[in-house]
Amino acid sequence: MMHELINDRFGELVTDLKYMLSFRTDASLYKPTESDPFGRPMTDALNAFLKRAESYGFTTKNLDNYVGYVDTSTDKSLPLYGIMCHLDVVPAGDESLWHYPPFGGIESGGRLYGRGSFDDKGPAVASLHAMRAIRDTQPLKCRFRLIVGLDEETGAFRCIKRYKKTEEIPLNSFSPDGAFPLINAEKGILRLTVRKNFGNVVRLPVGIKTVRGGIRTNIVPGKAVATVEGVHLPEKNGNGFEFREGEIVASGLSTHVKHPWEGKNAILVLLQFLAGLNVPSGLGQYIKALHELFRLEYDGRSLGIACEDSVSGMLTCTLSVIEADEQACVLKMDIRHPVTCNGDDIVLKLQQVFSQLGASVTLDSRNNPLYVPEEDPFVQLLLGAYTAVTGQEGKPISTGGGTYCRDMPNSVSFGILFPGEESVAHCADEYVSLASLRTAAHIYAEVFDRINRMR
């Protein structure tokens, strides 16, 4: 009956997701205030989600517009289990690269397109409807709480930190913000700024004047632009470059920094081209040095920070943003390191490397790695639910992505990407497969059923 309800109500699930996709929940667009810590439009989206949950008979709570939650019951004598999702999204980027409006919620070819459809509004709505199905088909011997935040993509997780200040910590939680069968290891995350000042330089008639690329630290940049003066450029476009009068545009392929090999970093492509110009100016020589350090790599090898382990794989290093002119150059880097590697050692190594170039390195934020053994009973319960619905045996995997699980005890990431599917998080034309969304809702309902029967 529980699974039948999910199928019968799937049209409502899709309608709810289309509605949530209409909210432009990119917090970088809005000015924070005391009452709206991520901006008023972000608060509106959170309240809209909570109101939709209330229309289904759930109890909800908004915690100072940082985070909200949806409960199946208010009986605190029942044990509590959590599901953690987020409604904030990364920027849509260059919207001309989208074939569907990023905040339109357009359904086409068995897919629902929109920023956040996959990461993480789709999983949030699927989880809500899975909770609805279990609540409507059997007496509950425990509580399920869907926690929805507004500050996941920044990596700061201020929403979860606010939740933990005053609210009950679930016995176990999962976050449908990763991949199936289950993620039990999340790499450590380091976000850094590298700054180089060129001082009082003599302006030369020949040189690289500006270099710009990237929009967010956790996105592999798909476009980078340089302006030059007195430099001969090719007359024909090609090989990922457009040449205009005094301007070079390099195109790549944007993707999430947790799997940079699936994209093409336009900044690195542009650095390689600019280094080949051999421009003598201060910025030109620094660009050449940067190319030597980054190459067309994503493992940090030329920086001397490459490492790996058997639990979570290799380190990834992404040069995500560059803002440079003849006075200064600022870089933003994202590093995802294996769970057994020491993040402090990596930062120290980078400080040593860039100090030789007269540049400083600042650690902007860090997220410590997460690892839960495969033998953990909650891990086994989740894997069992996955197998029961899909018929496929599952083994835990690792990720370079970061989820709320790092900040919530006894938590792992569980879905929504299925084996063999392409990861479209943070990409243009982000979408969620409607068939996968339906299957995920079934899996989450199966989890709730197994937890409930276990009690």
Side-chain angles (χ1 to χ4, degrees):
M1 182 62 179
M2 174 184 68
H3 292 293
E4 292 175 4
L5 265 186
I6 288 176
N7 286 332
D8 291 343
R9 295 169 170 173
F10 187 67
E12 295 177 46
L13 190 162
V14 173
T15 297
D16 288 348
L17 178 52
K18 288 180 178 180
Y19 174 57
M20 291 311 304
L21 290 175
S22 69
F23 290 87
R24 189 178 286 263
T25 51
D26 169 12
S28 66
L29 297 174
Y30 311 119
K31 182 179 179 180
T33 66
E34 185 175 351
S35 60
D36 299 301
F38 307 115
R40 185 65 202 179
M42 303 292 286
T43 299
D44 291 342
L46 176 60
N47 286 331
F49 186 91
L50 297 179
K51 186 175 181 180
R52 187 58 57 97
E54 290 170 5
S55 74
Y56 294 135
F58 289 108
T59 300
T60 69
K61 187 173 183 179
N62 181 328
L63 300 175
D64 304 327
N65 296 327
Y66 276 86
V67 61
Y69 59 80
V70 179
D71 275 344
T72 55
S73 172
T74 58
D75 185 353
K76 293 189 176 182
S77 68
L78 300 176
L80 178 67
Y81 292 86
I83 311 95
M84 300 179 293
C85 298
H86 64 90
L87 301 178
D88 61 312
V89 300
V90 298
D94 184 354
E95 296 192 19
S96 68
L97 300 177
W98 289 69
H99 297 89
Y100 303 89
F103 298 97
I106 301 299
E107 186 177 344
S108 177
R111 298 172 173 177
L112 187 56
Y113 289 87
R115 178 60 89 219
S117 56
F118 181 84
D119 179 22
D120 191 40
K121 294 178 181 179
V125 173
S127 299
L128 177 66
H129 280 264
M131 285 171 55
R132 186 182 174 206
I134 188 73
R135 182 204 61 187
D136 291 350
T137 54
Q138 57 187 272
L140 294 181
K141 294 176 284 186
C142 57
R143 289 174 291 153
F144 297 107
R145 174 172 291 178
L146 175 56
I147 304 167
V148 285
L150 295 174
D151 183 39
E152 194 273 348
E153 294 294 359
T154 66
F157 297 176
R158 288 167 290 180
C159 42
I160 293 299
K161 290 178 173 63
R162 169 61 187 88
Y163 175 91
K164 291 169 65 178
K165 282 184 179 179
T166 59
E167 305 306 307
E168 183 179 355
I169 304 300
L171 294 175
N172 289 102
S173 302
F174 69 83
S175 177
D177 190 20
F180 290 119
L182 178 144
I183 293 173
N184 70 330
E186 295 185 9
K187 294 176 182 176
I189 302 176
L190 304 171
R191 292 191 173 103
L192 309 103
T193 297
V194 180
R195 183 180 297 274
K196 164 78 171 176
N197 294 317
F198 299 110
N200 296 320
V201 296
V202 178
R203 195 176 188 281
L204 299 175
V206 176
I208 300 170
K209 301 305 175 182
T210 63
V211 183
R212 291 184 172 84
I215 55 174
R216 192 78 170 260
T217 310
N218 58 355
I219 304 175
V220 173
K223 184 177 180 179
V225 181
T227 58
V228 297
E229 188 174 300
V231 176
H232 176 72
L233 297 177
E235 295 181 0
K236 293 184 178 180
N237 299 330
N239 297 320
F241 288 97
E242 291 182 39
F243 302 104
R244 304 162 187 165
E245 185 175 351
E247 186 177 78
I248 307 160
V249 181
S251 296
L253 178 62
S254 183
T255 189
H256 195 298
V257 293
K258 67 183 177 182
H259 41 63
W261 54 86
E262 294 186 1
K264 185 177 182 182
N265 192 319
I267 294 177
L268 301 187
V269 172
L270 182 59
L271 291 182
Q272 182 182 50
F273 179 87
L274 295 175
L277 297 177
N278 201 25
V279 174
S281 66
L283 176 57
Q285 291 304 299
Y286 187 57
I287 291 296
K288 191 171 183 179
L290 291 179
H291 169 60
E292 294 294 327
L293 291 176
F294 288 96
R295 300 285 180 174
L296 296 178
E297 302 169 352
Y298 50 78
D299 60 1
R301 189 183 329 128
S302 295
L303 286 162
I305 59 173
C307 58
E308 62 181 307
D309 64 21
S310 59
V311 174
S312 54
M314 70 175 186
L315 175 145
T316 62
C317 174
T318 302
L319 177 52
S320 308
V321 178
I322 184 170
E323 289 284 341
D325 57 27
E326 292 177 297
Q327 281 71 49
C329 177
V330 177
L331 311 176
K332 296 287 185 180
M333 294 174 59
D334 181 286
I335 293 171
R336 311 282 165 126
H337 66 83
V339 299
T340 59
C341 293
N342 189 315
D344 291 333
D345 291 343
I346 295 169
V347 175
L348 179 60
K349 176 63 176 179
L350 291 174
Q351 289 173 335
Q352 293 170 344
V353 168
F354 282 100
S355 68
Q356 297 176 11
L357 300 177
S360 64
V361 176
T362 303
L363 179 62
D364 299 324
S365 68
R366 74 183 303 162
N367 299 99
N368 291 325
L370 168 73
Y371 176 61
V372 180
E374 181 178 353
E375 298 76 23
D376 180 86
F378 188 62
V379 169
Q380 287 299 309
L381 183 147
L382 297 178
L383 289 174
Y386 171 82
T387 299
V389 172
T390 65
Q392 303 294 318
E393 292 293 330
K395 296 283 287 184
I397 57 178
S398 67
T399 182
T403 71
Y404 287 147
C405 298
R406 298 170 188 264
D407 273 17
M408 189 68 77
N410 307 314
S411 303
V412 291
S413 180
F414 188 52
I416 186 176
L417 181 70
F418 284 89
E421 289 186 322
E422 66 173 339
S423 178
V424 292
H426 300 190
C427 297
D429 283 337
E430 178 182 345
Y431 70 87
V432 65
S433 159
L434 294 179
S436 295
L437 190 66
R438 184 194 298 263
T439 302
H442 283 293
I443 292 172
Y444 298 143
E446 182 70 21
V447 168
F448 301 149
D449 179 58
R450 289 178 177 230
I451 292 174
N452 196 48
R453 286 190 280 115
M454 178 182 69
R455 305 305 307 187

